[in-house]
Amino acid sequence: MDLQEFKTKVLPGKQKLYRLALFLLQNKEEAEDILQDVFLKLWSNKHKLHAYASIEAFAMTVTKNLCLDRIKARKHKYMIDVVDLELGSHDANPHQRYELADQVSKVQELLQLLPEQQRLILHLRDVEGYDYPEIEQVTGANVNAIRVALSRARKSVRDGLLKMEDYAI
C-alpha cells in the first residue's frame, strides 16, 4: 500500500476514530494522541492491511484497544465537562438550555455506570451508526450478544433517567 492508497482507504475514517477515542477517553488531547498512535500503527503495518476485509473496522478495533490500554494505565475516570458540549438550537431560552444541559449531564452519568462492553456497543450503534456485523468485527462479540448488550444498555439508561426524573418531581 502506497501513500495515496493509504490516504484514500484509511484517512476518511479519521472523524469516526476520533469520536470513538473521545467517547471512551472523555479527553480531547488524549483522543488526539490515540488517533496519531492509530495512524502510526496502521502506516507501519500498511503492507498487512490488504488482509483485512474492512480496514475501517480494523482501525476502530485498534483505536478501542489503545483507548482501553490508556484507561487502564491512568486508573481513574474523568468527569465530563458539560460546559464544552454543544447543546443544539440557539433559539432555546435559558430555561430550555438549562434543562437540556441537565438531561445531557444525567445521560452522561448513566453512560459512565454501564459496563465497558455495553457502553462501547451503544456508542458504535447509536452514535456512529454501525451495523451489527461491523460491531461484531470491532468488539469480537457475536451478533446475538451485541443485540442483548445493546438492549440492556438502552434499558439501563432509560430506566436510570426515568428514576432520576421521578425523584426530581
Side-chain angles (χ1 to χ4, degrees):
M1 177 178 288
D2 63 353
L3 179 61
Q4 189 60 33
E5 190 177 4
F6 186 83
K7 285 181 180 178
T8 58
K9 290 186 176 181
V10 177
L11 291 183
K14 178 181 178 181
Q15 290 301 315
K16 284 184 179 182
L17 297 175
Y18 175 74
R19 285 192 306 267
L20 176 63
L22 184 61
F23 173 75
L24 291 172
L25 298 172
Q26 301 297 319
N27 183 297
K28 291 179 183 179
E29 291 80 20
E30 283 187 334
E32 290 168 358
D33 289 346
I34 291 292
L35 194 60
Q36 287 182 354
D37 293 345
V38 168
F39 284 129
L40 181 62
K41 186 172 274 207
L42 292 174
W43 179 252
S44 63
N45 292 314
K46 64 183 179 240
H47 58 282
K48 298 178 186 175
L49 293 180
H50 62 83
Y52 296 99
S54 172
I55 295 174
E56 182 178 327
F58 176 67
M60 291 292 278
T61 303
V62 171
T63 304
K64 175 196 72 161
N65 290 339
L66 288 175
C67 288
L68 293 177
D69 290 345
R70 180 76 56 102
I71 290 169
K72 288 176 188 173
R74 69 180 182 208
K75 301 241 183 189
H76 67 279
K77 297 180 182 177
Y78 288 96
M79 296 300 291
I80 294 176
D81 185 11
V82 217
V83 176
D84 292 338
L85 294 176
E86 286 293 324
L87 297 177
S89 174
H90 296 288
D91 298 332
N93 65 42
H95 177 72
Q96 290 170 325
R97 284 196 303 262
Y98 174 77
E99 289 290 323
L100 185 56
D102 186 48
Q103 192 115 31
V104 167
S105 174
K106 288 177 183 176
V107 169
Q108 291 292 344
E109 286 176 32
L110 292 168
L111 286 173
Q112 292 304 315
L113 296 175
L114 290 175
E116 191 68 40
Q117 185 80 352
Q118 286 182 7
R119 192 172 357 142
L120 176 63
I121 290 171
L122 184 71
H123 177 80
L124 291 174
R125 181 69 177 160
D126 292 344
V127 176
E128 298 297 335
Y130 277 38
D131 58 13
Y132 292 108
E134 291 173 321
I135 296 171
E136 184 177 28
Q137 284 182 337
V138 172
T139 63
N142 69 35
V143 175
N144 289 334
I146 292 169
R147 290 179 194 269
V148 169
L150 184 61
S151 175
R152 288 180 180 167
R154 288 175 177 162
K155 183 179 183 333
S156 178
V157 171
R158 180 178 51 248
D159 291 349
L161 194 57
L162 290 173
K163 193 175 190 178
M164 284 180 173
E165 288 177 356
D166 284 344
Y167 285 128
I169 294 176

